[in-house]
Amino acid sequence: MRNVVVLGIGMTQFGKHPDKSLKDLGREALYRAVQDAGIELSQIEAAYVGNAAAGLITGQECIRGQVILSGAGLTGIPVINTENACASGSTAFHLAWMAIASGLYDVVLALGAEKMTHPDKNRAFAALQSGTDIEQLSSFPGYEEHKEGQSIFMDLYASEAREHMMKYGTSLETLAKIAVKNSYNGSLNPYAQYQQAQSLEAVLQSRMISDPLRLKMCSPIGDGAAAAIVCSEKIARQFTTKPVYVTASVVVSGSSSKDQKIDTVQRAAEKAYEVAAIGSEDLQVMEVHDAAVPGELLAYEQLGLCPPGESGRLIESGDTEIGGKIPVNPSGGLISRGHPIGATGIAQIAEITWQLRGQAGARQIRNQPKAGLTENVGGFLNGDNGTVNIHILKR
Amino acid sequence: MRNVVVLGIGMTQFGKHPDKSLKDLGREALYRAVQDAGIELSQIEAAYVGNAAAGLITGQECIRGQVILSGAGLTGIPVINTENACASGSTAFHLAWMAIASGLYDVVLALGAEKMTHPDKNRAFAALQSGTDIEQLSSFPGYEEHKEGQSIFMDLYASEAREHMMKYGTSLETLAKIAVKNSYNGSLNPYAQYQQAQSLEAVLQSRMISDPLRLKMCSPIGDGAAAAIVCSEKIARQFTTKPVYVTASVVVSGSSSKDQKIDTVQRAAEKAYEVAAIGSEDLQVMEVHDAAVPGELLAYEQLGLCPPGESGRLIESGDTEIGGKIPVNPSGGLISRGHPIGATGIAQIAEITWQLRGQAGARQIRNQPKAGLTENVGGFLNGDNGTVNIHILKR
């Protein structure tokens, strides 16, 4: 398979954009990525578009990518629409990677776009709820105590938090410190939905969502888009002397098998490390799926940054802060950058690309990082993740 | 890129299946394809799943493939969910082809599944309607005269029929003969939704849907699934001495550009012929997208079976009948086999595979066909097709 390069990236600010349609958001991200790549729009040979919620939010299904791209004047090329819940963006990126790696195309677009806000807020929660088997909602963890008007996934994250607290003595304050860190990082990111650093007190005093998770420990509802121009090494040489390579693109789904002892995120990460022929110790930066703080806490262990049970100590050590040994979520993560679900996976790719290029501005990590990882998780089924998508980028 | 083989195929009967869920339908098609391939379920390394309507019909979005496959015990592997309106199935097949051609996997599944029937019939029509830009419905051809309780796409096909009649003098009877032919073919196909041959009179006397299209000239609402096991040539050799190869897998989208003079189906077909290094004269069988009879009529011209304006004469000649020179839709097509939209593209692949293997039973075409083509069209946007997917299979 051929080497694959992320040639250009672009995104909108994530946030509540009542005046912008999916087309507006998609166009903005696309044009920025095209400009960043230095190519012409007409050089894009195919598009892979991730969106998870439009069907249930606006009624637009079936050809969402074509509709979005028609608003940017990008028509006539193959358009593949894909969805994988909160990992729709990285699924689109994976397909774009496969299209280049296979030799089928030389320049393609991966676009993730999502508009979650709607005058009827319940539509967003219905869309999120469809990230599980809707025929088996009653068996969803915590569903019996689920409160109307919020995402069922927060109940799931809450149960994971409680389990970690019980098993390893992780404290509420430790959990909250992930949100404090990510809010600080978000304050340095002009693309973030929330750009205000939060104190530990502010996080702990925010409204209870699902015990022990407070509002500021959870990612918000929002709108946004992110785009990546992906190309072959040969094409990349015409446009840049400092290409960022995709050295692993791994998608796995959870298993309903009781025999499956190994955690699915861990399984995906091990596969990615194997494909990229590196270990977690070779990475200098990570963007992980902190849809709520336990997502990041557990990722430390699942991705091999620390042994099981040590993730609380890792956040307390400061090592995952921007100035630390292995910065995690320098963008602010899903909690602060925001989580327009179909866009998140490509926003993670964008952040790692900026970090590897040294273009991350005030949140740039030190010592010229050489390799970074993204972890994007989507859906939940039969007690396991619907999909776990891991990408490793290297310069 | 590597050679790709269709190792196994399987489908459910298409029709109204009130007692079967999407999971039931998907499982049935999957197990048949696995059995046909002679592999174990556990040999499937990844799944590409096409479904267009579940979000708007049942509320199941986001991880439809994982949900369907969990009902068949196929979990833990990468699952890519894709949709492209009525061409969702062939889009899933295209991705499966790319996965094998790239060398990423050796054995993968392409599954198309759709459940259109629902006690609230309007849900199916809402889902079909989302195959265009729902913000621009008023500019959809024929929308001002659109009748509630049927698909807007029938108005579109009706306008195409009227145009052909005006321009070339094609008669209503000629149009109806496509439905007569396909209903006869469907009567020979145990998987068809309608298995009764219709007389010309019966077709003409059926209820008017959108002038000049009568009910029996249009594909029905229905449920069904179709699956293909796709693999590398090396794997195929372990299981069969008569592999069916995918020699072209082409996806293109319509163009909003006024400069784009060439028809999109024609553009896709020319690309497919170029990739497969053959011409339409080298094909012995075709499955085309007769969502309504004008779809097949125009396909004759777009795919190069006859010059523009000659398609009426072609159907009158009998050459596209099962016993003719170039049989088209021996399965009964969308009109008689049925059109559970996400499943159709893979059902077309199944039919061509059976025909090339000589396993099409009573509808087997003569003279041992060597190559066949499928044409699957999805959605409509800015006066052009949302996507046109062409596959060429060869033994």
Side-chain angles (χ1 to χ4, degrees), chain B residues 64-109:
Chain B
R64 305 177 224 178
Q66 287 92 330
V67 169
I68 294 169
L69 295 174
S70 73
L74 185 57
T75 64
I77 59 170
V79 178
I80 306 290
N81 302 293
T82 189
E83 71 183 46
N84 240 339
C86 299
S88 298
S90 55
T91 299
F93 187 85
H94 169 72
L95 293 176
W97 166 80
M98 190 164 76
I100 300 297
S102 69
L104 182 60
Y105 302 115
D106 287 317
V107 182
V108 302
L109 166 70

Side-chain angles (χ1 to χ4, degrees), chain B residues 267-290:
Chain B
R267 184 158 57 92
E270 287 177 1
K271 177 80 182 167
Y273 293 148
E274 181 194 324
V275 170
I278 62 172
S280 62
E281 66 281 5
D282 300 312
L283 297 163
Q284 290 85 43
V285 58
M286 288 188 178
E287 285 280 314
V288 307
H289 197 83
D290 60 328

Side-chain angles (χ1 to χ4, degrees), chain B residues 216-238:
Chain B
K216 290 181 194 291
M217 298 178 181
C218 304
S219 57
I221 296 291
D223 312 321
I229 303 295
V230 183
C231 72
S232 65
E233 199 170 10
K234 191 175 167 189
I235 295 285
R237 280 203 206 98
Q238 303 170 19

Side-chain angles (χ1 to χ4, degrees), chain A residues 1 21-23 48 51-56 58-64 66-67 70 73 75-86 88 91 94-99 101-105 126-136 249 251-257 260 267 341 378-382 386-387, chain B residues 1 21-23 48 51-56 58-64 66-67 70 73 75-86 88 91 94-99 101-105 126-136 249 251-257 260 267 341 378-382 386-387:
Chain A
M1 296 177 73
S21 68
L22 258 183
K23 278 180 204 146
Y48 300 85
N51 170 276
L56 294 179
T58 69
Q60 182 67 61
E61 277 273 2
C62 282
I63 53 164
R64 305 177 224 178
Q66 287 92 329
V67 170
S70 73
T75 64
I77 59 170
V79 178
I80 306 290
N81 302 293
T82 189
E83 71 182 49
N84 240 339
C86 298
S88 298
T91 299
H94 169 72
L95 293 176
W97 166 80
M98 191 163 77
S102 69
L104 182 59
Y105 302 115
L128 288 164
Q129 186 165 295
S130 76
T132 187
D133 184 344
I134 59 166
E135 291 177 358
Q136 301 190 358
S249 177
V251 172
V252 304
S253 292
S255 171
S256 61
S257 165
Q260 188 79 43
R267 184 158 58 91
I341 58 178
F380 192 82
L381 189 65
N382 295 319
T387 192
Chain B
M1 297 177 73
S21 68
L22 259 183
K23 279 181 203 145
Y48 300 84
N51 171 276
L56 294 179
T58 69
Q60 182 68 61
E61 278 273 2
C62 282
I63 53 164
R64 305 177 224 178
Q66 287 92 330
V67 169
S70 73
T75 64
I77 59 170
V79 178
I80 306 290
N81 302 293
T82 189
E83 71 183 46
N84 240 339
C86 299
S88 298
T91 299
H94 169 72
L95 293 176
W97 166 80
M98 190 164 76
S102 69
L104 182 60
Y105 302 115
L128 288 164
Q129 186 165 295
S130 76
T132 187
D133 183 344
I134 59 165
E135 291 177 359
Q136 301 189 357
S249 177
V251 172
V252 304
S253 292
S255 171
S256 62
S257 165
Q260 187 79 42
R267 184 158 57 92
I341 59 179
F380 192 82
L381 189 66
N382 295 319
T387 192

